[in-house]
Amino acid sequence: MSNAEATASPDHTGTGSGSAPAHNPEAARLRALLEPAVQANRLYLEDVAIIPGSHRVVHVVVDLPQEESGGVSLDVIADISRVLSDVLDNDPNDDGRPYDLEVSSPGVGRPLTEPRHWHRARGRMVKVNVIQGENVTGRVQSVDDGGVTLVPEVAVKKGMKPRQGDPVKLPFDRIRNGKVEIEFSHLPEDGLEPEHNGPSEEA
């Protein structure tokens, strides 16, 4: 799939708040309503937001569980969109006003700010913003409860292939955030999985 968010947008009448911004009590209520259905389909509910307007939008972001690799396919997005549509249509607190449902996956540009984000980035090349230290660019080798182990890219002369340094462990309390780097190809090295890489997958 492309780097753009994969979105399915069936038209409905249903719930929402016409004047509510994202991350409001109504969005929290809908998250509680939708989360069991998302989990039952072996997905993780990343976010629920309500975008006000003449035709409100309920925007739902789903991701794969942290132990799985790859991205959420368009077929999965379409399937979970139908499931969540049915849940919203049967919402006991529905006020009857129309809305659009949009379901998407996070996308490769999502900042890595939570442990589960780092688990999903295993095998990827990332730039890490380090607290009280030099920032690091490297490939995520492993993730545990304490932090992230990276195989850093060592700077070389222009035109030469980057060299890998020794693995570095960064505790979560030293990581401000990270970002996945787009790669067009990557050969397997040091047991890392090449299927994690490439611009056509999501973080």
Side-chain angles (χ1 to χ4, degrees):
M1 62 187 298
S2 71
N3 289 330
E5 289 185 337
T7 303
S9 304
D11 187 88
H12 295 276
T13 59
T15 188
S17 173
S19 61
H23 305 296
N24 58 72
E26 178 66 3
R29 186 187 73 80
L30 289 183
R31 182 184 182 104
L33 178 70
L34 298 174
E35 193 159 30
V38 173
Q39 292 177 345
N41 284 268
R42 301 192 71 253
L43 294 168
Y44 176 85
L45 183 56
E46 184 100 354
D47 191 31
V48 175
I50 300 173
I51 304 170
S54 57
H55 208 84
R56 295 163 300 147
V57 176
V58 177
H59 185 71
V60 179
V61 182
V62 297
D63 198 6
L64 294 179
Q66 69 177 27
E67 64 273 9
E68 294 192 24
S69 62
V72 185
S73 72
L74 288 171
D75 286 342
V76 171
I77 292 289
D79 289 344
I80 194 63
S81 294
R82 287 190 287 270
V83 171
L84 298 185
S85 169
D86 289 341
V87 174
L88 290 174
D89 285 345
N90 290 284
D91 179 3
N93 295 307
D94 173 20
D95 64 10
R97 292 183 295 163
Y99 72 92
D100 287 331
L101 171 65
E102 291 185 353
V103 181
S104 69
S105 53
V108 73
R110 170 186 60 187
L112 308 175
T113 58
E114 301 176 14
R116 71 171 309 275
H117 297 162
W118 292 99
H119 280 279
R120 295 281 290 120
R122 290 190 306 272
R124 296 272 197 163
M125 183 65 66
V126 299
K127 277 189 176 180
V128 186
N129 190 338
V130 179
I131 299 172
Q132 294 182 339
E134 292 188 8
N135 294 339
V136 180
T137 298
R139 197 170 300 282
V140 180
Q141 184 181 65
S142 63
V143 183
D144 58 29
D145 292 341
V148 180
T149 299
L150 299 175
V151 178
E153 292 264 293
V154 179
V156 295
K157 292 182 179 179
K158 187 176 180 179
M160 295 179 63
K161 184 179 178 181
R163 184 168 60 86
Q164 291 187 330
D166 294 329
V168 174
K169 176 70 175 284
L170 291 174
F172 284 123
D173 61 7
R174 286 191 55 210
I175 297 175
R176 182 171 286 110
N177 57 52
K179 183 178 181 181
V180 172
E181 295 284 277
I182 298 297
E183 297 181 275
F184 289 95
S185 64
H186 172 65
L187 297 176
E189 295 181 48
D190 299 329
L192 298 174
E193 301 176 37
E195 62 267 26
H196 290 291
N197 304 287
S200 62
E201 294 182 358
E202 307 229 355

